[in-house]
Amino acid sequence: MAFAPACPNNGLVYAGQAFNVSVLAMNAAEGITQNYRYSAVAAQNFASDVTLSAVASAGGAVIAGAVGALNNTTVANSDFNNGSNAAGTSTPAFTFAAAATAPTDVFIRAIESAGDGVASSLHEGGLKVVSGRIRISNAYGSEILPLTMMANAQYCASIAAGACVWNMNGNDSVTTFNTAANIVPVITNGPLALANVAVTNGVVVLANGSAVLNLAAPGVPGGVSIGLNAPTFLGSVAGQATFGVYRGGNQFIYQREAY
């Protein structure tokens, strides 16, 4: 059997993010076994369930649980027709045991759960799994004007002193969230209140790893922390939005000359 990934982000997939798999039944001549298909009639059913596992390289050892684990590992025999799981219903995800993990190559092994027990051997496709997060930048402005904040996708590029070194993921143009449902605002100082805070974008899709968040003018000064609760496979680093002049500040928030 052979496996090929259809992965987002130009070969990168975030830890915990589902990706699609394609499993092909191959014959000795490296062709697709066309009669490997499911049928409700037992005598005509030539497909078996297939179990997926994560390995470190094509033909290599299974990745230890101390590194991470693959979930949703069964490709049902009912998915197969003419030698492939053309229905594409298998969407596993690989999750790291620790969030602070450097980018890791993950290859997928496919083994028949029954039947002849055929395995994918060296025909195993792979992708690079990374820890990810969305970081929202700080911003300040007048309470009588709208305010913008940047949301940037980042990935853990390496580990230094036990912590991630975060880089921008400029290849991410697929991550989606909805400001109507996924924004987590926390008031940090008033008289600003949650009733005054509105992020007006609606559905947001990152473009080259970034998106602009639009906050409506609250009409009153204060501070609010803006974070996200989705996508669930990405962490969120909240940004601080500050409206109006605050005590101790020595910069102009808003200035206008009128004649």
Side-chain angles (χ1 to χ4, degrees), residues 10-23:
N10 296 327
L12 286 182
V13 62
Y14 295 116
Q17 181 183 20
F19 53 91
N20 298 324
V21 302
S22 174
V23 180

Side-chain angles (χ1 to χ4, degrees), residues 50-188:
V50 170
T51 299
L52 306 176
S53 59
V55 296
S57 60
V62 174
I63 295 176
V67 176
L70 190 73
N71 69 1
N72 195 19
T73 58
T74 298
V75 182
N77 64 349
S78 56
D79 283 354
F80 284 97
N81 185 43
N82 297 329
S84 74
N85 66 328
T89 57
S90 181
T91 54
F94 188 87
T95 302
F96 289 135
T101 300
T104 301
D105 290 335
V106 175
F107 290 74
I108 303 299
R109 179 160 296 153
I111 302 176
E112 273 191 325
S113 304
D116 298 325
V118 177
S120 52
S121 185
L122 297 180
H123 297 284
E124 296 167 346
L127 40 75
K128 191 174 292 293
V129 180
V130 296
S131 282
R133 70 182 189 180
I134 294 180
R135 186 180 187 278
I136 300 176
S137 62
N138 299 329
Y140 63 90
S142 169
E143 72 273 20
I144 64 174
L145 294 174
L147 185 65
T148 60
M149 305 177 78
M150 291 298 301
N152 295 310
Q154 297 180 326
Y155 70 97
C156 181
S158 60
I159 304 297
C164 281
V165 176
W166 295 96
N167 282 2
M168 176 79 173
N169 185 6
N171 289 325
D172 189 344
S173 294
V174 292
T175 292
T176 302
F177 56 88
N178 190 330
T179 61
N182 302 137
I183 289 292
V184 181
V186 178
I187 299 299
T188 56

Side-chain angles (χ1 to χ4, degrees), residues 33-55:
T33 306
Q34 297 290 329
N35 67 350
Y36 195 87
R37 59 180 177 268
Y38 171 78
S39 173
V41 179
Q44 300 176 17
N45 177 35
F46 302 111
S48 298
D49 290 347
V50 170
T51 299
L52 306 176
S53 59
V55 296

